């Protein structure tokens, strides 16, 4: 690379990614093949439109690449229709909303503090500005979804669209219950599986398309372990046409065909026994990780996890804020994100919780023992709540991952 400034920073980031224990639940490490495709000459090509219906010449190979991505995605999700052009998870949602709704329509999604995403109707997001949004919460006692109270709220509010799916919810989502609620109020149902897409593909979480969900949106870079991007799926032909129109020309121009090629590669990788085994390990690791926190006396939201992530209430458990917990762990080379917990009294920028996830370190080869050892260190760091002590744990943290780097 000729640009020395950028090269230097990429190399710095490369070292950071190798030396830090990555526990951010939405991050992962992609394969060399995915990286190669993202860095390929495909970025040079304009291809507005869809395979065999483009607004630019010279798309014969691009068409085959995008068709492969579509076909592989349909196969792994057992879906009839797929759009692979969304630039991100947020744009997949924006596209799906444009296909299903008119400005001003009512939508209902999970609140941010209960574990939902900004794009599910939060006021600072376009989803909260273009549509009339009302949020549902998790149950105040169990911190799990309570389908009866969501039904009662939906009957009152009468949304045109119900959004299910989350960014910080550690339990199985019952798509069938959501379908019943949507049917009772005559709403469309959208499942945003951005976090759990990999689990669905590997049969570690039910597939919303098996329960008659109208539209499924997702990212491709979280548990699915592909390039940064979004996808939209449906089994309804009429909706599929509306979705294609909404994505292009509705909200996007030229698709990122280098990213779409990388998506195709990732979908191929996800269609293997190795990937199923990987996801099984992700979930086993998360279970062991959460259990060890509980053994050590910490409060884990919902007392455990069914998936790849969980939240620790660090305010109640250790009398520190999420922000402080994040800062302390960074000193020990551990990267997490502070996160609000259900009904959090602190703002999202301080927060009472920390979100822990296992997808990235499981890709690096970590097993349950490694996570248990790490939990003991994290617990001590939180209990001691001292910068110098946290700094001193770096060596032990590095020791856990060392065998995977040799
Ligand atoms: C991560 C996430 C998104 C957004 O993905 P981006 O690619 O960051 O735009 C949308 N919905 C949910 C539930 C997510 O967790």
């Amino acid at each position: 690379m000729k640009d020395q400034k950028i090269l230097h920073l990429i190399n710095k980031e490369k070292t950071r990614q190798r030396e830090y224990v990555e526990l951010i639940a939405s991050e992962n490490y992609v394969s060399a093949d995915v990286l190669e495709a993202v860095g390929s000459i495909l970025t040079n090509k304009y291809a507005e439109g869809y395979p065999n219906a483009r607004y630019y010449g010279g798309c014969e190979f691009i068409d085959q690449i995008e068709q492969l991505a579509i076909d592989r995605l349909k196969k792994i999700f057992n879906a009839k229709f797929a759009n692979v052009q969304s630039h991100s998870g947020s744009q997949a949602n924006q596209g799906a909303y444009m296909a299903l709704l008119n400005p001003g329509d009512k939508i209902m999604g999970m609140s941010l503090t209960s574990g939902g995403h900004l794009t599910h109707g939060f006021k600072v997001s376009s989803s909260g500005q273009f549509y009339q949004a009302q949020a549902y919460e998790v149950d105040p006692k169990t911190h799990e979804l309570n389908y009866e109270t969501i039904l009662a709220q939906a009957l009152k509010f009468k949304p045109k669209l119900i959004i299910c799916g989350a960014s910080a919810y550690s339990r199985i989502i019952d798509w069938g219950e959501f379908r019943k609620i949507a049917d009772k109020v005559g709403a469309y149902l959208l499942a945003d599986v951005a976090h759990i897409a990999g689990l669905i593909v590997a049969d570690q979480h039910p597939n919303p398309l098996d329960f008659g969900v109208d539209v499924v949106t997702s990212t491709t870079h979280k548990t699915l372990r592909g390039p940064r991007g979004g996808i939209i799926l449906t089994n309804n032909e009429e909706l599929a046409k509306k979705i294609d129109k909404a994505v292009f020309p509705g909200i996007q121009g030229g698709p990122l065909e280098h990213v779409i090629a990388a998506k195709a590669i990732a979908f191929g990788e996800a269609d293997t026994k190795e990937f199923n085994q990987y996801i099984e390990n992700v979930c086993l690791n998360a279970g062991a990780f959460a259990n060890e926190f509980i053994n050590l006396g910490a409060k884990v939201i919902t007392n455990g996890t069914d998936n790849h992530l969980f939240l620790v209430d660090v305010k109640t458990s250790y009398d520190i804020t999420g922000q402080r917990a994040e800062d302390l762990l960074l000193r020990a080379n551990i990267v997490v994100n502070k996160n609000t917990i259900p009904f959090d009294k602190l703002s999202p920028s301080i927060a009472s919780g920390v979100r822990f996830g296992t997808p990235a370190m499981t890709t690096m080869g970590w097993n349950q023992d490694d996570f248990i050892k790490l939990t003991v260190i994290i617990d001590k760091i939180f209990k001691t709540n001292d910068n110098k002590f946290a700094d001193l744990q770096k060596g032990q943290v590095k020791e856990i991952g060392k065998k995977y780097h040799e």
Side-chain angles (χ1 to χ4, degrees):
M1 194 181 291
K2 288 204 196 77
D3 190 321
Q4 289 303 308
K5 277 191 181 152
I6 291 294
L7 178 63
H8 174 70
L9 291 169
I10 291 176
N11 285 334
K12 285 271 195 198
E13 171 62 13
K14 202 186 267 176
T15 307
R16 189 198 67 80
Q17 288 192 13
R18 210 172 35 231
E19 290 186 352
Y20 281 67
V21 173
E22 181 53 67
L23 300 176
I24 295 175
S26 48
E27 293 189 9
N28 215 325
Y29 300 111
V30 299
S31 69
D33 286 6
V34 166
L35 277 183
E36 198 179 327
V38 172
S40 73
I41 46 81
L42 295 172
T43 194
N44 297 335
K45 189 73 195 98
Y46 244 114
E48 280 181 353
Y50 289 99
N52 304 315
R54 304 285 187 183
Y55 292 87
Y56 288 83
C59 288
E60 55 189 301
F61 306 116
I62 295 287
D63 278 357
Q64 293 176 54
I65 288 169
E66 187 168 337
Q67 195 58 51
L68 264 176
I70 292 168
D71 292 343
R72 288 179 184 177
L73 179 60
K74 278 163 42 178
K75 178 165 182 253
I76 58 176
F77 273 93
N78 195 19
K80 289 207 179 86
F81 305 95
N83 185 305
V84 297
Q85 292 192 357
S86 297
H87 299 330
S88 69
S90 294
Q91 284 204 287
N93 282 342
Q94 207 184 347
Y97 299 162
M98 193 179 175
L100 299 172
L101 304 167
N102 292 311
D105 279 347
K106 291 181 184 174
I107 63 171
M108 217 175 118
M110 198 176 194
S111 85
L112 211 56
T113 49
S114 276
H117 191 260
L118 288 165
T119 55
H120 296 181
F122 199 66
K123 52 190 178 302
V124 298
S125 144
S126 67
S127 63
Q129 297 188 6
F130 298 171
Y131 310 106
Q132 255 191 82
Q134 193 178 88
Y136 56 84
E137 304 286 349
V138 289
D139 187 272
K141 280 210 186 80
T142 62
H143 293 162
E144 294 194 31
L145 289 162
N146 180 330
Y147 301 97
E148 274 169 40
T149 56
I150 297 168
L151 170 63
Q153 188 179 347
L155 284 168
K156 257 197 201 153
F157 184 59
K158 298 190 179 66
K160 187 168 173 192
L161 170 69
I162 295 174
I163 302 150
C164 50
S167 304
Y169 185 70
S170 62
R171 294 299 177 179
I172 301 271
I173 297 170
D174 191 334
W175 313 118
E177 285 297 325
F178 269 113
R179 181 70 266 176
K180 279 192 225 156
I181 295 168
D183 284 344
K184 280 190 183 139
V185 301
Y188 284 120
L189 182 62
L190 181 149
D192 177 351
V193 302
H195 260 269
I196 53 173
L199 279 66
I200 290 168
V201 167
D203 290 329
Q204 291 286 324
H205 191 291
N207 183 344
L209 289 168
D210 295 340
F211 294 84
V213 166
D214 296 297
V215 178
V216 174
T217 58
S218 182
T219 61
T220 48
H221 49 273
K222 297 179 184 175
T223 53
L224 205 47
R225 209 164 59 180
R228 309 198 75 74
I231 48 173
I232 310 177
L233 302 160
T234 182
N235 280 335
N236 180 317
E237 187 167 6
E238 213 176 304
L239 286 183
K241 284 183 191 147
K242 286 186 181 170
I243 289 164
D244 282 350
K245 270 195 194 143
V247 173
F248 173 83
I251 61 165
Q252 291 186 181
L256 311 177
E257 293 295 346
H258 53 308
V259 177
I260 290 173
K263 285 175 179 172
I265 292 169
F267 302 153
E269 290 172 354
D271 195 12
T272 58
K273 280 202 195 85
E274 290 74 22
F275 187 79
N276 286 357
Q277 186 60 59
Y278 159 66
I279 291 290
E280 197 183 323
N281 290 340
V282 164
C283 296
L284 287 171
N285 286 342
F289 195 5
N291 272 339
E292 187 60 15
F293 267 114
I294 294 168
N295 290 341
L296 294 166
K299 186 176 172 203
V300 172
I301 301 300
T302 77
N303 295 314
T305 177
D306 296 328
N307 58 28
H308 62 295
L309 63 78
F310 59 91
L311 294 170
V312 172
D313 176 350
V314 292
K315 193 83 189 65
T316 305
S317 309
Y318 303 101
D319 199 25
I320 56 176
T321 64
Q323 178 65 65
R324 175 66 179 151
E326 185 185 306
D327 292 344
L328 277 167
L329 292 187
L330 205 55
R331 288 176 166 272
N333 274 24
I334 301 169
V335 195
V336 296
N337 64 286
K338 63 191 168 210
N339 212 102
T340 49
I341 56 172
F343 311 101
D344 207 324
K345 292 192 185 72
L346 301 177
S347 73
S349 60
I350 302 170
S352 300
V354 169
R355 189 179 64 167
F356 290 97
T358 55
M361 295 323 286
T362 306
T363 293
M364 296 303 288
W366 279 40
N367 60 30
Q368 296 178 55
D369 257 6
D370 299 323
F371 279 102
I372 289 168
K373 276 186 204 145
L374 185 73
T375 316
V376 174
I377 300 172
I378 293 174
D379 177 72
K380 271 192 216 146
I381 291 172
F382 287 168
K383 277 179 180 147
T384 313
N385 187 13
D386 178 77
N387 288 348
K388 286 217 180 73
F389 180 82
D391 290 338
L392 286 173
Q393 304 312 304
K394 232 179 247 180
Q396 279 197 59
V397 169
K398 270 193 187 159
E399 196 61 33
I400 300 175
K402 214 175 110 198
K403 56 182 180 282
Y404 303 113
H405 287 302
E406 278 161 2

